[in-house]
Amino acid sequence: MNQHANIQQAKAKIGHSACPHDCPSTCALDVELLGPDRIGRIHGAKENSYTAGVICAKVARYAERIHHPDRLLKPLVRAGAKGAKQWKEVSWEAALDLVAEKFIRAEERLGSETVWPYYYAGTMGLVQRDGIERLRHAKKYSGFFGTICTNLAWTGWVAGTGSLRGADPREMAKSDCVVIWGTNAVVTQVNVMTHAIRARKERGAKIVVIDIYDNATMKQADMGLILKPGTDGALACAVMHVLFRDGLADRDYMARYADEPAGLEAHLRTRTPEWAAAITGLSIEEIEAFAHLVGTTKRTFFRLGYGFSRQRNGSVNMHAALSIPAVTGAWQYEGGGAFHSNSGVLKLNTDLLEGTRLRDPAIRYLDQSRIGPVLTGDSAALYGGPPVTAMLIQNTNPANVAPEQRLVKQGFLRDDLFTCVHEQFMTDTAELADVVLPATMFLEHDDIYKGGGNQHITLGAKLIDPPEGPRGNHYVIEELGKRLGVSHMPGFGLTEREHIEIMLEKKGLGTFESFCEERWADLQPDFETAHFLGGFGHKDGKFRFRPDWPGQPGPNRPPKSIGLYGPVNELPAFPDHVDLIEVADPDHPFRLATSPARSFLNSSFSETPSSRKREGRPELLVHPEDAAALGFGDGARVEIGNHRGEVVLHARLFDGVKRGVVIAEGIWPNSAHERGEGINVLTGADAPAPYGGAAFHDNKVWLKPAP
Ligand SMILES: Nc1nc2c(c(=O)[nH]1)N[C@H]1C(S)=C(S)[C@@H](COP(=O)(O)OP(=O)(O)OC[C@H]3O[C@@H](n4cnc5c(=O)[nH]c(N)nc54)[C@H](O)[C@@H]3O)O[C@H]1N2
Ligand SMILES: Nc1nc2c(c(=O)[nH]1)N[C@H]1C(S)=C(S)[C@@H](COP(=O)(O)OP(=O)(O)OC[C@H]3O[C@@H](n4cnc5c(=O)[nH]c(N)nc54)[C@H](O)[C@@H]3O)O[C@H]1N2
Ligand code: SF4
Ligand SMILES: [Mo]
């Protein structure tokens, strides 16, 4: 740091906040305040036991994003053809009047279900993110089944444990072996590494990383297992086979805590390391070594991520991996057990905020991930209801991040669809809108945040003034409520702070003022509860080796109007490998995963100069022998494609991946690609069984030098 910066930091006032981005870490932040509307660097809060003073580089440099010259500052109305990037600046009043008028007209023509409010987790603040639900329910607009991120993972986790929580993630530091499975934690949730590395430093713990390529996290591992995409179920089965075979299974624990240990053991008899080696591409020795490590290390902590669930068999694989600590009995020990998400325990009462009581159960739901089929009039995706002809979009960029991008864009270009996008930047989606509204950023509005990868509820009060122009999501929902005639309904007419107060009060967490002092609340359940020592979440208190796939309750269960996604009868009775994935074939000999980039966060940060510089250009990691066989070298322009479309990238030769597997890191803006089409041209919007989701890392593709 230069002297000038040093002095600046010494002078800076520090404000407290929470990271609003869609990241399991939900870091508690210390923000250098340089003036009423200016920030300096952001630091991780040292006093927060999970954040522990560490945050990622892209948020440390948030000044680049919040003071970005390209921020949207004025409401814009389309002044040319859709997508032609011609805009007219208008006042907030005029823009909101226009949106309301279009929504009213659409409803008059086709009924309320023709309007589809669409949102996601660009901000994780409850008030700014979820307030749109209040408007939806009040107006009986089409429901939103939010599947894109968590469905495959949560379904698999809840199938086993019956409840979406796990061992205290800080306990990783007290573990003797941390298994980081299907999450690139160095990149996507750096705080996992803080605690895992502490265990290695202080107790000599081993770190195991299981992924499909030698990513940044695997570089930190003592044991790295690189398997073929979508084969984690096979690995887990062979590990459990060895545990039973070699007397490393905890039979007493299973007798007490699991449903059918004998059935599982019998089922696994044929799931040998040889069997799994052929499926996973791992060696028998690798599988045996991993099984013995976790079988002989009682304090093994399984940190199960989202990445390996983004396969069409992802729920099955999540459940299979989760079954291992139920066989070893690791749950009984501090530093042992498993963790995926604490979302099941961090509940705040959002009934008023979301207008839950205004919900009409007769209204259809539409699946977030299937926005392509929905907007192009697929009658199955529309559940027999009217076409979608009006949308309000907040905190998400579906024209870039949703699967089957060609359909999504085709849909947004429809003349009979009116789209309002509320955004911070001119994203791929905003470019296709009729009206674009400028949004504030987290330090410019009040909100409250729940961790998924930790156990805190953290306050993020407004710290600085926004530039002239941008307004918060809450403002937009309230103003539309007035214009659409629902502002008298419960939940409307309150400020952000009042909503936060109500949620805090109902949870017994004090007031907004007191929470400003406390900054966060630690809601981690006690050891016994977190480790399910009083029983698992299912009615009989048992961990289920034999999941009730169609019958399980849970946060991701589709609403009745959607029902289950098939083929439910092909889901296995016990942990297993199932080929429900896009298996490579002669026309598509490669398997493509679209893993995250370190300096981007989904579609965010692709606008900040330092992130753009660090990531370089859209690239495809290809095994050198595959490249040689196809006759291209490092840096070559290559085309990858499948029945959904084709995309051009630059090849980067990389031997940390199995042959036949290619990796495209990061969701680059569509415009960063040669033909203006992004990587999601190649990903599929078919919903995996049983509860849906998006299988972003499960794509069969062909690959050739680009023409
Ligand atoms: N190929 C591929 N595609 C993927 C994935 C993948 O791994 N591979 N991952 C998927 C996953 S897991 C997810 S969660 C999705 C996420 O995809 P998106 O939902 O698009 O994710 P974000 O980039 O987090 O946020 C979207 C936008 O929210 C805006 N935003 C932030 N805060 C606010 C606010 O307060 N108000 C308003 N109005 N806007 C705001 C940001 O400017 C940003 O443009 O992408 C999915 N798509
Ligand atoms: N820097 C950065 N941070 C992020 C994000 C980002 O885009 N960039 N996205 C945020 C969001 S919305 C989310 S949901 C989280 C997700 O964070 P993670 O839980 O880490 O999930 P993914 O990012 O989807 O993928 C993690 C890893 O899974 C690997 N993987 C893919 N298929 C398989 C498989 O079949 N088996 C195994 N074992 N591994 C596989 C991928 O190669 C990747 O290395 O991260 C958040 N944090
Ligand atoms: S690690 Fe995740 S939660 Fe923490 S600052 Fe970075 S993006 Fe935000
Ligand atoms: Mo996500």
Side-chain angles (χ1 to χ4, degrees):
M1 197 183 284
N2 64 34
Q3 203 184 358
H4 174 72
N6 251 330
I7 292 165
Q8 207 173 40
Q9 192 185 338
K11 275 199 216 144
K13 246 178 74 191
I14 298 295
H16 302 309
S17 191
C19 178
H21 285 286
D22 190 1
C23 167
S25 281
T26 320
C27 294
L29 305 179
D30 290 340
V31 184
E32 292 175 11
L33 302 174
L34 305 182
D37 57 0
R38 201 122 208 121
I39 65 159
R41 274 190 79 83
I42 298 189
H43 308 269
K46 289 202 183 68
E47 313 77 42
N48 183 284
S49 55
Y50 189 74
T51 304
V54 179
I55 60 168
C56 64
K58 59 193 178 299
V59 169
R61 297 186 301 250
Y62 214 80
E64 260 188 73
R65 189 164 194 272
I66 200 163
H67 303 311
H68 198 297
D70 296 344
R71 263 189 82 171
L72 292 172
L73 297 174
K74 292 265 170 37
L76 302 171
V77 174
R78 177 166 67 84
K82 287 210 184 202
K85 305 185 193 177
Q86 288 162 327
W87 304 100
K88 188 172 78 204
E89 290 181 2
V90 298
S91 68
W92 268 98
E93 287 293 309
L96 290 164
D97 288 349
L98 177 63
V99 176
E101 184 201 316
K102 292 285 186 184
F103 279 20
I104 290 167
R105 264 210 249 137
E107 181 177 348
E108 281 167 1
R109 247 187 342 257
L110 290 161
S112 64
E113 287 180 332
T114 195
V115 185
W116 193 26
Y118 191 100
Y119 72 110
Y120 209 57
T123 172
M124 294 281 278
L126 301 192
V127 178
Q128 309 290 350
R129 186 188 67 192
D130 300 333
I132 192 171
E133 289 288 44
R134 185 167 77 252
L135 183 66
R136 178 201 313 284
H137 296 323
K139 289 296 303 173
K140 299 185 193 296
Y141 293 153
S142 275
F144 185 77
F145 182 37
T147 49
I148 213 162
C149 178
T150 61
N151 275 41
L152 283 154
W154 289 9
T155 301
W157 177 276
V158 176
T161 61
S163 143
L164 189 59
R165 55 184 173 78
D168 187 333
R170 292 165 296 195
E171 265 181 52
M172 270 181 289
K174 297 175 182 161
S175 175
D176 294 326
C177 174
V178 182
V179 180
I180 300 177
W181 195 323
T183 170
N184 189 358
V186 166
V187 165
T188 62
Q189 42 173 338
V190 62
N191 307 79
V192 165
M193 301 313 292
T194 306
H195 300 281
I197 285 175
R198 188 176 290 168
R200 176 156 69 196
K201 271 202 192 129
E202 291 176 6
R203 323 167 46 90
K206 292 273 180 292
I207 298 177
V208 182
V209 172
I210 304 173
D211 209 282
I212 57 172
Y213 73 115
D214 187 12
N215 61 21
T217 307
M218 199 172 285
K219 301 235 187 302
Q220 306 271 330
D222 300 293
M223 180 186 282
L225 301 178
I226 299 175
L227 41 59
K228 293 184 189 166
T231 66
D232 301 77
L235 170 62
C237 284
V239 167
M240 292 187 283
H241 169 99
V242 172
L243 296 172
F244 279 109
R245 185 196 69 193
D246 296 354
L248 298 169
D250 187 336
R251 293 174 190 280
D252 291 342
Y253 175 80
M254 283 188 284
R256 233 180 116 190
Y257 286 105
D259 59 345
E260 282 191 51
L264 177 69
E265 185 173 6
H267 161 80
L268 290 173
R269 230 157 257 150
T270 52
R271 272 61 176 179
T272 60
E274 292 78 2
W275 168 84
I279 297 169
T280 58
L282 294 167
S283 69
I284 294 168
E285 295 70 37
E286 282 176 306
I287 298 170
E288 294 269 358
F290 174 49
H292 278 117
L293 177 64
V294 302
T296 55
T297 314
K298 285 298 170 193
R299 289 172 197 265
T300 294
F301 195 106
F302 289 80
R303 182 60 179 83
L304 306 176
Y306 285 100
F308 80 114
S309 78
R310 304 199 196 290
Q311 303 279 339
R312 286 170 180 76
N313 60 4
S315 299
V316 172
N317 293 347
M318 169 61 86
H319 170 259
L322 175 63
S323 294
I324 300 174
V327 172
T328 62
W331 283 107
Q332 299 161 97
Y333 310 98
E334 193 182 28
F339 181 83
H340 170 65
S341 169
N342 251 342
S343 296
V345 288
L346 295 170
K347 292 218 171 87
L348 288 172
N349 187 325
T350 55
D351 283 352
L352 208 54
L353 173 72
E354 297 190 40
T356 312
R357 258 167 274 150
L358 306 172
R359 192 177 77 85
D360 177 347
I363 299 297
R364 73 166 170 193
Y365 276 79
L366 300 172
D367 185 332
Q368 173 189 23
S369 303
R370 293 181 50 70
I371 180 172
V374 166
L375 293 188
T376 49
D378 179 320
S379 60
L382 289 167
Y383 296 95
V388 169
T389 62
M391 294 183 81
L392 167 64
I393 299 178
Q394 289 184 317
N395 340 314
T396 186
N397 184 6
N400 180 230
V401 305
E404 264 171 85
Q405 188 177 101
R406 284 193 179 164
L407 292 186
V408 180
K409 287 216 270 191
Q410 206 181 307
F412 278 124
L413 289 171
R414 267 171 41 206
D415 276 333
D416 64 337
L417 171 66
F418 170 82
T419 311
C420 171
V421 174
H422 187 198
E423 247 303 343
Q424 296 163 340
F425 290 96
M426 187 55 82
T427 59
D428 290 316
T429 310
E431 269 180 7
L432 298 173
D434 297 278
V435 172
V436 178
L437 303 174
T440 45
M441 289 193 188
F442 75 112
L443 298 170
E444 301 161 346
H445 55 235
D446 292 319
D447 218 328
I448 187 154
Y449 304 84
K450 300 188 293 183
N454 62 41
Q455 59 291 302
H456 293 117
I457 288 178
T458 310
L459 188 69
K462 175 174 181 286
L463 294 179
I464 60 169
D465 294 327
E468 183 72 33
R471 309 253 167 107
N473 293 9
H474 181 73
Y475 171 84
V476 168
I477 298 306
E478 285 292 310
E479 288 301 311
L480 287 177
K482 287 179 199 162
R483 288 164 173 79
L484 293 165
V486 294
S487 58
H488 61 285
M489 292 192 180
F492 287 91
L494 302 168
T495 64
E496 284 108 322
R497 272 184 194 218
E498 285 166 336
H499 276 293
I500 295 168
E501 287 258 350
I502 290 166
M503 288 187 273
L504 288 175
E505 230 164 74
K506 285 190 175 155
K507 190 89 182 171
L509 291 174
T511 61
F512 189 91
E513 286 303 313
S514 68
F515 219 69
C516 277
E517 288 297 308
E518 281 156 34
R519 303 179 60 186
W520 55 75
D522 181 345
L523 299 185
Q524 178 62 41
D526 62 32
F527 178 81
E528 297 264 313
T529 311
H531 286 250
F532 299 107
L533 298 183
F536 284 87
H538 296 293
K539 278 203 188 89
D540 59 2
K542 302 282 176 107
F543 182 90
R544 281 180 196 261
F545 289 131
R546 184 198 275 279
D548 180 4
W549 290 117
Q552 81 179 55
N556 291 109
R557 199 180 167 83
K560 277 213 178 70
S561 63
I562 287 187
L564 296 179
Y565 293 106
V568 177
N569 57 2
E570 285 179 38
L571 296 170
F574 282 109
D576 213 341
H577 173 72
V578 277
D579 258 347
L580 292 170
I581 49 176
E582 282 196 347
V583 180
D585 59 38
D587 291 333
H588 309 85
F590 290 88
R591 299 257 303 141
L592 164 74
T594 59
S595 311
R598 184 172 197 152
S599 309
F600 298 159
L601 195 144
N602 305 321
S603 68
S604 305
F605 294 91
S606 62
E607 66 285 325
T608 57
S610 63
S611 287
R612 253 327 241 272
K613 193 162 160 232
R614 275 200 62 150
E615 294 302 329
R617 60 182 180 184
E619 285 183 332
L620 187 71
L621 306 183
V622 184
H623 195 283
E625 288 167 26
D626 284 330
L630 291 168
F632 62 79
D634 196 42
R637 281 174 64 249
V638 292
E639 190 180 73
I640 38 171
N642 56 23
H643 57 290
R644 295 182 280 263
E646 56 288 310
V647 174
V648 173
L649 301 154
H650 288 267
R652 182 144 63 87
L653 302 197
F654 173 73
D655 62 7
V657 63
K658 296 270 177 235
R659 283 201 65 180
V661 178
V662 288
I663 313 275
E665 283 187 346
I667 321 175
W668 285 83
N670 300 340
S671 58
H673 289 264
E674 261 188 33
R675 297 168 188 159
E677 290 188 310
I679 198 71
N680 280 314
V681 161
L682 302 171
T683 58
D686 48 310
Y691 290 178
F696 284 111
H697 306 326
D698 178 7
N699 313 285
K700 60 178 184 184
V701 291
W702 45 255
L703 168 63
K704 61 182 187 197

